[in-house]
Amino acid sequence: MATAAGKRVVTLGGKGSALTSVAVFEISYGFSMAAIDSSAVSRRSSSSAIPSSEYLFSLPDYFTSEERRASLVLLLNKILACSSCAVGVQILEILRGDVIGSQYALDGVAADELNAIDHNAAAIDGVSAILDHFSSALSSIADAVAAISCEALGANLSPFNLMDSGDGSSAKDAVAVASDFKLFVNGSKLVTSGSKFSDSSIADIPSVHGSFREVSRLLHSKTRVQLNSGFRDGSTKDLSIALSSLALALLNLGEISCCRTKLIVANSFPDGNLSEALVAECPSYDAMAEIYDSSQAALRRKDYLSFVHNVYGLLDAVWKIISWEAIAAFVSLEGSEISGDKNRTENGNSNDGNINAPRRSEKKKKVVLGKGTSALIQFIKDKVLGREETKAAELEKCFRNFLSLLNPRGSEINGLLSKVKEIVESNENRRLPKLPKGTRDFAKEQMAIREKAFAIIVDVFKRHGAMSLDTPVFELRETLMGKYGEDSKLIYDLADQGGELCSLRYDLTVPFARYVAMNGLTSFKRFQIAKVYRRDNPSKGRYREFYQCDFDIAGQFEKMGPDFEVVKVLTELLDELDIGDYEVKLNHRKLLDGMMAICGVPPEKYRTICSSIDKLDKQSLEQVKKEMVEEKGLTEETADRIGTFVKNRGPPLELLPVLKGQGSEFLENGESALALNELEILFRALAKSKCIGKVVFDLSLARGLDYYTGVIFEAVFKGTAATQVGSIAAGGRYDNLIEMFGGKAVPAVGISLGIERVFAIMEQIQKDKNQEGNVRGSETEVLVSILGEDLSVGAEITSELWEAKVKAEFMINKRVAKHIDRALGSKIPFMAIVGEQEVSKGIVKLKDIVAAKEVELPRTELVAELKRRL
């Protein structure tokens, strides 16, 4: 192909330069020309040339000239990447010349180049690059055309009411398609959720178009790798997986496009020119299916060149079908512009004789299209009909112009793609805002419950002498890493800011330990209520941003005294929050370590095996054993012995004597014997405090965090299935954590309440009791109701109440009913009503909303009377 002035030059063979699908497309279709980087000219092959002075290689004769050029571009790029430039120059000359023939001659081909040239990968990768470019463009065009078709059909919008659940169970691409579709039809009077028209070709748009998006991304990812790599074994088979998926996605896309086109023609143009044109020009579904079957047959016999060529042909057929769908929808909506008739019916059809009228007579009135589709239709009108709206266009010319606009190989398609992108991006502000996954908002009623709960929690903490502490929401990454075991992968890392690598805090315990070490403290009883962040998979009761309520005691105290107090604090919290039945599972880390030693677990695997045991509340013993054996390298015998120990569970004062009984293996191990003695002290103290009934001694409790060294515990809610949220609080002793920050060896023990799960329980209980109506979003005690327009009177009275510490609001409105509605809606118990008569008499009407009684009293006595009643 001869070079032409003004073409973009794509340089191949340069170090660091990457070939793209767009570049392959532009060279193949003559929009750009290839060139070899000057640095590649000096490279020579280390292998000697084969004896023949001329070597012939060929491409399939069924390839189009564009497919051949794409193949040559890839062959040139791969040759330059791994061999000399001499052969590359010859390939470049062929590429720039006439590639209509299927055989090409090369001189001086080296041995290592011979295998590369005979390899089919260059041809497959080249055609795949064109498919990658076209499928990306087709995805945008197909979405926009489907939106116009739905307008033309007056389709039902219900299938597009999709939302991302945020928990990983939604089809994200289907949701994205539905969201973009709504941007096009926003404000339309033709498509509504109440429309009776529904068809599978409409309902399937989100899933079919979403799948096409997903497959197009997969093809792009694999093609990008192939374009800039050498010849790799297995690469063709790898790429064929994506291409096969693309073929099926194309078939489905073309099928529903065919169906919509037939619906539009049947509904709007049953007997006219458009119908005849479609029959003559538009590929049928059977034709598509035949190409698809040919592609799969070629794939089965491993004829990859025929396979990729058929996929290329299938994409071309689908593009034509979608082009004709666009024509049908456009003419249905804008037939009057083509015929010169400015009057259109509600569904956009013309009653002009040149374009057949709809089957049923309808009253003519202005069509109201969606804001996005209106902009797109106007763009198409300007291109297809010309800038002068009064100028009529012939149907045949309209079709010709339209097909030119939608031609993927033409120069106008980029303008259309840019317009579609502009519409989607300009409508971003119209998208319904959404929360990030794993987060949530709280309405006023929920906040009332939360504030009440926080007040209870703070009261319990302060009752035990704890002082409040606050720490930054992010810490240095090095502060957090290495403290959470396998859970460290859930830490949220932040972008580098000025040379400091930071992460959002994972919990409140490690920041507390860092604070104690930094300030050289040796004794501190603290509480903290703050948000923490975990890069977890959201599910019921699990969030990425949530509050923790921590209570910790650091310092040297009587043996097991702090441990007793934190467990006691936990039971007080859960009792006073009144969430229902719960249990506190309790164990000792040293008892676990002794169990590991008894069972024969290597010391270096103690923590990772503890992490496996900790999953027993969610997985079966057999699943955990399989993990310990297959993933963590334990023997079957060791895993079985662990299984016999972790089954021990029961009331503390009943199970403890069993574990300390004569002949117990635990007593023969120093760590486990120490743990049992400490637990005996703890259990006796809990019994005297009358809270041991809530505690269960459970040897399967492991707590996967690395920093625990002694007693560990976890509170679990035991309510109904509707309120099962798993662990609601946890904690334990961590004697070495503070020392890890370079501070003194300060022992510590603490508890963390997962308040978000507690809130979920409280909200469910509230719902079950049907008490939502009893929850007040505000604490307002009196509404000052001014029956008129005088703000100064309301300001005066309300200010007097505020100064007296009475919680008050004011409202200015002439209608008494509005004031009563406000008081009832906000559950405000009293109203102070002041109208013109009350002002002239110097009185106020005080209304008790609950008792439905009203009294008059002097203005000067209002504050005193309210304080007396409140």
Side-chain angles (χ1 to χ4, degrees), residues 56 113 132 165 198 233 237 269 339 377 479 512 589 656-657 691 700 805 815 822 850:
L56 295 177
E113 296 166 341
D132 173 31
S165 63
S198 181
D233 292 335
K237 291 181 180 179
F269 314 102
S339 65
I377 288 288
T479 298
F512 167 65
R589 205 60 183 262
L656 185 65
C691 66
S700 70
K805 310 304 179 190
R815 298 175 60 187
R822 168 75 174 276
V850 178

Side-chain angles (χ1 to χ4, degrees), residues 105-131:
L106 298 174
D107 291 325
V109 180
D112 57 348
E113 296 166 341
L114 179 61
N115 180 56
I117 294 170
D118 281 343
H119 206 294
N120 288 334
I124 294 166
D125 294 351
V127 180
S128 296
I130 298 177
L131 288 169

Side-chain angles (χ1 to χ4, degrees), residues 107-338:
D107 291 325
V109 180
D112 57 348
E113 296 166 341
L114 179 61
N115 180 56
I117 294 170
D118 281 343
H119 206 294
N120 288 334
I124 294 166
D125 294 351
V127 180
S128 296
I130 298 177
L131 288 169
D132 173 31
H133 173 73
F134 280 168
S135 62
S136 176
L138 181 60
S139 180
S140 297
I141 296 297
D143 292 346
V145 170
I148 301 175
S149 292
C150 288
E151 293 267 28
L153 291 167
N156 189 306
L157 276 181
S158 298
F160 300 90
N161 294 331
L162 303 180
M163 293 290 289
D164 189 346
S165 63
D167 59 5
S169 61
S170 303
K172 292 186 179 300
D173 288 296
V175 173
V177 168
S179 178
D180 287 346
F181 179 90
K182 288 181 179 179
L183 297 181
F184 278 101
V185 301
N186 180 37
S188 172
K189 298 298 183 183
L190 296 181
V191 291
T192 65
S193 295
S195 172
K196 293 182 180 180
F197 182 82
S198 181
D199 187 82
S200 61
S201 63
I202 303 296
D204 290 345
I205 288 173
S207 59
V208 172
H209 287 230
S211 295
F212 187 71
R213 281 191 186 190
E214 183 179 5
V215 170
S216 296
R217 278 202 312 276
L218 174 64
L219 176 63
H220 178 71
S221 176
K222 290 186 177 295
T223 303
R224 184 174 55 185
V225 173
Q226 291 298 106
L227 292 185
N228 297 285
S229 62
F231 296 94
R232 298 185 293 111
D233 292 335
S235 62
T236 297
K237 291 181 180 179
D238 181 45
L239 191 56
S240 68
I241 295 172
L243 290 171
S244 182
S245 298
L246 177 69
L248 182 57
L250 281 167
L251 184 66
N252 292 334
L253 190 69
E255 180 183 16
I256 63 172
S257 178
C258 267
C259 292
R260 288 193 299 271
T261 305
K262 291 177 181 178
L263 285 171
I264 295 169
V265 172
N267 288 351
S268 302
F269 314 102
D271 304 311
N273 298 330
L274 178 62
S275 182
E276 294 174 1
L278 283 168
V279 171
E281 299 289 342
C282 182
S284 66
Y285 173 75
D286 290 340
M288 277 194 309
E290 185 177 345
I291 300 173
Y292 174 77
D293 290 341
S294 296
S295 73
Q296 298 309 298
L299 182 60
R300 284 193 296 273
R301 64 177 183 267
K302 298 183 179 180
D303 184 353
Y304 296 110
L305 292 175
S306 177
F307 165 65
V308 73
H309 172 71
N310 276 291
V311 177
Y312 178 76
L314 180 59
L315 188 145
D316 193 53
V318 172
W319 197 296
K320 288 178 181 177
I321 288 172
I322 290 174
S323 297
W324 280 104
E325 178 191 355
I327 290 173
F330 175 76
V331 175
S332 176
L333 292 170
E334 299 295 324
S336 61
E337 294 294 336
I338 299 171

